[in-house]
Amino acid sequence: MLVLWKVIYLFFLLPGRYVDSPLTNSVGKVAAWGLNIITHPNDYSSKEESAPALDTDNGLKTEMQRSIYFGQNKAASVYDGCNALELMVLYVGFIICIPADTKRKWLFALVGVIIIYLINVLRCIGVICAIRYYPQQADFIHHYVFEIVIYAAIIAMWLVFANKINIRNNAQQV
């Protein structure tokens, strides 16, 4: 399943950013909206921009991002690698692989993806607040604290899903 996903993603979805672009833009827009709710209204805005990035061959390439601004100053950027797509695919892949009722799988997959999305938006909001108010701890918060939170949430959702599985009933359905 992982190999199939990687082939589809790397050869078909990634080059055109068919999934990454709307997801990254959505995370950036919703994070700016959320920041405006918890801080002063309309201080934060977002826009799609291109930025230089290193290619795998150590050459420069252009990478699209969703930049979040505080007034006229860039507060942070949401890159495709920060949109939680891989986490969503990992979560759904686990749900698919565990024997359970199809309706239950669909429900847990949909709700789980929404929860991962919302946690990621909250992560972006938290990172931007950390950059603004606690710049010394921002890197630690970005790379460790929120990683632990999002992985703990995914594991908790998997455990909730797995604990409700009745193997005998699923074996009889096959």
Side-chain angles (χ1 to χ4, degrees):
M1 187 178 286
L2 175 67
V3 172
L4 178 64
W5 160 250
K6 284 297 189 181
V7 167
I8 292 170
Y9 180 73
L10 292 174
F11 292 107
F12 301 106
L13 299 176
L14 179 63
R17 296 186 67 233
Y18 299 114
V19 179
D20 285 313
S21 180
L23 187 57
T24 301
N25 283 323
S26 174
V27 168
K29 287 177 185 177
V30 174
W33 174 79
L35 284 161
N36 283 326
I37 287 176
I38 63 173
T39 62
H40 304 290
N42 301 322
D43 284 347
Y44 288 92
S45 62
S46 72
K47 67 179 178 179
E48 188 173 29
E49 299 178 322
S50 62
L54 285 178
D55 197 348
T56 54
D57 300 326
N58 292 331
L60 283 177
K61 68 174 188 168
T62 301
E63 185 175 38
M64 296 305 292
Q65 64 187 12
R66 188 78 189 188
S67 296
I68 299 172
Y69 286 85
F70 178 73
Q72 299 299 318
N73 300 320
K74 187 187 288 190
S77 296
V78 180
Y79 292 89
D80 289 347
C82 300
N83 65 18
L85 177 62
E86 289 288 327
L87 295 174
M88 293 175 193
V89 170
L90 176 69
Y91 171 79
V92 171
F94 179 83
I95 297 296
I96 289 170
C97 290
I98 298 297
D101 178 56
T102 304
K103 218 177 191 181
R104 182 175 168 74
K105 286 184 179 191
W106 277 103
L107 176 67
F108 269 80
L110 179 63
V111 171
V113 165
I114 292 168
I115 289 171
I116 293 168
Y117 174 84
L118 293 174
I119 290 172
N120 192 47
V121 168
L122 291 173
R123 179 184 78 91
C124 292
I125 290 170
V127 167
I128 291 168
C129 288
I131 290 169
R132 183 147 186 242
Y133 299 109
Y134 306 102
Q136 307 87 329
Q137 289 85 20
D139 193 49
F140 177 79
I141 290 169
H142 177 251
H143 291 290
Y144 298 104
V145 173
F146 286 116
E147 295 290 325
I148 291 169
V149 169
I150 200 159
Y151 283 115
I154 290 171
I155 291 168
M157 290 187 295
W158 283 339
L159 290 174
V160 169
F161 178 78
N163 283 336
K164 300 292 183 179
I165 296 171
N166 186 337
I167 299 297
R168 275 186 252 142
N169 285 347
N170 288 334
Q172 291 171 358
Q173 292 174 0
V174 176

